[in-house]
Amino acid sequence: MKVYVNPPRNRWAKLCERPSIDRENLSSTVGSIMSAVKENGDAQLLAYALEFDKTELNEVSVTPSEMEQQAATVAPALQEAIQQAAANIEKFHKAQRSTPEKITTTPGVTCWRKQLPIQRVGLYVPGGTAPLFSSLLMLAIPAKLAGCKTIVVCTPPNQEGSIAPEIAYCCQLLGLEQVFKVGGAQAVAAMTFGTESISKVDKIFGPGNQYVTRAKEMSLNYGLAIDMPAGPSEVLVVADKNANPEFVAADLLSQAEHGSDSQVILVGDDLKTIGDVLVIVNEQVEKLPRVALAKEALKNSKALVFDDLDTCMEFSNNYAPEHLILALREDDHWAEKVTVAGSVFMGNYTPESAGDYASGTNHTLPTNGYARQYSGVSLDSFVNKVTFQQISAQGIQKLGPIIETMAKAEGLEAHKNAVTVRLNALKNGN
């Protein structure tokens, strides 16, 4: 990691850049995959399984017996951990339900808003170098709480033609039945257009590599919605001299091990602490099974030292991190300075991995600076908020003249007339 000391503000934009990808070639490849799946359905998915996943499948559906067989191989200790994490995630997201409150804006005019579930959702769960069964918990639990009628799960098969046992166990635990052995951009295409086996959905959720991300973006052109634009994982840690360098190093590497295109940023006001952290990063990275990926990610990463924590926080808000760790003595105070972030982890004993797995908050978060415009996944992500209004005879008599005046000023006579005919009817005793 390269160290920058008091970089001037005119360089901040450059320092906030994420690793770039060749989007033109990416779009061409993904576009071809989308078109092929749209045209050929399940047959194309089976062909892609052979080409990309190196496995020959007879069907894309995961059968109940296969699900049960795979789930049964999960160790009891992991089953128990998954159950506790699921309970925490459910508790946190259940609290996000809202009860409609009827508001009288004018006597006789009542308005309210109600949460209604998105009917058909698709969940993409990565299953390649690291089967992210935790992502399935983060997506399926709020989808079920919201009341989504159709929940489609797509996850890549391994070379034996099965889905990851941990993902199978989570599907079984949550009662998910529409589960398919399809990965990559082709999975997104299947959920976008529908195939003989896979239902077309209304909104697609889930993390993935650059091909999955681009396919999700392309699905917007076909009338679907997505959870958010997403890219490689990232973390920014703000550390002062009271931070534990070993903890901070571990937090940085917990994101660096996601992939070679991940990025970690260390910001602080004490050069010695920054130096201590970087020494420990170099020691810890050698002990990781995914050392090669983590080292590549560290090449995209930076450490910055500023004279004061106010400037550190200002830089963080400019970077707009997916994960923000405040390894600071007065973390409550500095948390009030956060204006942009996906999720915030406060104090020396709050690792980012707690949010990834079991604290209860959702780990599906905006990356690549999108925290400026998007929030992480929540119960709200799986519902539409529909407004209702009910107007009595008294209400239309009070509000009608206001509507008539405004509609006339805009030159919309039919709008005005929709009120006028009602007011005339009331005058005539109808």
Side-chain angles (χ1 to χ4, degrees), residues 373-384:
Q373 303 97 351
Y374 289 86
S375 303
V377 165
S378 67
L379 187 69
D380 285 353
S381 306
F382 293 89
V383 300
N384 292 320

Side-chain angles (χ1 to χ4, degrees), residues 24 100 104 161 191 193-194 233 270 346 363 405 408:
E24 184 174 344
T104 299
M191 292 187 283
F193 304 116
S233 192
D270 183 67
M346 299 167 57
H363 78 200
T405 300
K408 183 178 180 180

